[in-house]
Amino acid sequence: MNKSQLIEALGDRLDGDKRTAKAAVDELVDLVFRAVAKGESVSIAGFGVFEKRIRQPRTARNPATGEAIKLKKTSVPAFRPGTQFRGVVNGSVKLGAAPRPAKKAAATKATAAKKTTAAKSPAKKTTAKKTTAAKSPAKKTTAKKTTAAKAPAKKAAAKKTTAKKTTARKAPARKR
């Protein structure tokens, strides 16, 4: 996942507000850059720690020539993943469903409650039973015959299309 995909995914979780998501990602990255550059560590519980590490001066070798090279003292950014992050990656910790915004969740719960209440009404259950009992064997047979009649027609149409493609391809080959 790259930055634009992260912004898009975050925007979807924020009711499609990609401007807010982009601003949030950009500000978070900027704050981490500035804090780590100052030598501070940025710790996000469960996720990990961003920090500045200092590499001491050392002697290295050029792999092409084998010549010894002296490297100066440098500072490098480092990330230490948190225990929850490590657990999710190695499979020992399972993530739950992705969190949804409160507005959508409330609307979804209300809709689900209406559907559940409507499904529990005795009038609808009785209607469903009457409909099932009202079906006659003749209707079932008709439905099977109709389905069976349609299947060969589709196969025949597919054969004609294949034949046309084959003819169209062979025609240029004959002209040569």
Side-chain angles (χ1 to χ4, degrees):
M1 176 180 284
N2 62 27
K3 185 177 177 181
S4 62
Q5 291 168 335
L6 176 65
I7 290 169
E8 187 173 327
L10 185 59
D12 290 342
R13 288 195 182 180
L14 297 174
D15 295 330
D17 190 7
K18 290 183 183 176
R19 282 187 183 168
T20 304
K22 183 179 183 330
V25 170
D26 288 341
E27 289 299 318
L28 176 69
V29 170
D30 184 60
L31 288 171
V32 170
F33 282 175
R34 291 175 190 275
V36 172
K38 288 180 187 176
E40 299 173 6
S41 66
V42 177
S43 178
I44 302 171
F47 183 70
V49 179
F50 297 92
E51 59 190 4
K52 180 179 180 177
R53 290 192 186 151
I54 299 173
R55 288 192 183 160
Q56 297 300 322
R58 61 191 173 100
T59 303
R61 297 222 174 256
N62 182 343
T65 62
E67 179 185 353
I69 302 171
K70 291 184 180 179
L71 298 176
K72 297 178 182 178
K73 177 180 175 180
T74 61
S75 298
V76 294
F79 175 73
R80 285 184 295 136
T83 54
Q84 185 179 6
F85 188 30
R86 273 190 242 135
V88 169
V89 172
N90 73 24
S92 64
V93 175
K94 303 277 183 187
L95 286 178
R100 297 283 180 196
K103 293 177 184 177
K104 283 187 177 179
T108 306
K109 286 180 184 177
T111 306
K114 288 179 184 177
K115 288 180 181 178
T116 306
T117 307
K120 290 182 180 178
S121 69
K124 289 192 177 185
K125 286 183 181 178
T126 307
T127 308
K129 289 179 183 175
K130 287 180 182 177
T131 307
T132 307
K135 289 184 180 178
S136 66
K139 288 183 180 179
K140 290 180 182 177
T141 309
T142 307
K144 289 180 182 177
K145 287 181 182 177
T146 307
T147 307
K150 288 182 180 178
K154 290 180 181 177
K155 289 180 182 177
K159 288 179 183 177
K160 289 179 184 176
T161 307
T162 307
K164 288 179 184 177
K165 287 181 181 177
T166 308
T167 307
R169 289 182 187 161
K170 288 183 180 178
R174 289 179 185 167
K175 290 180 181 178
R176 289 184 185 178

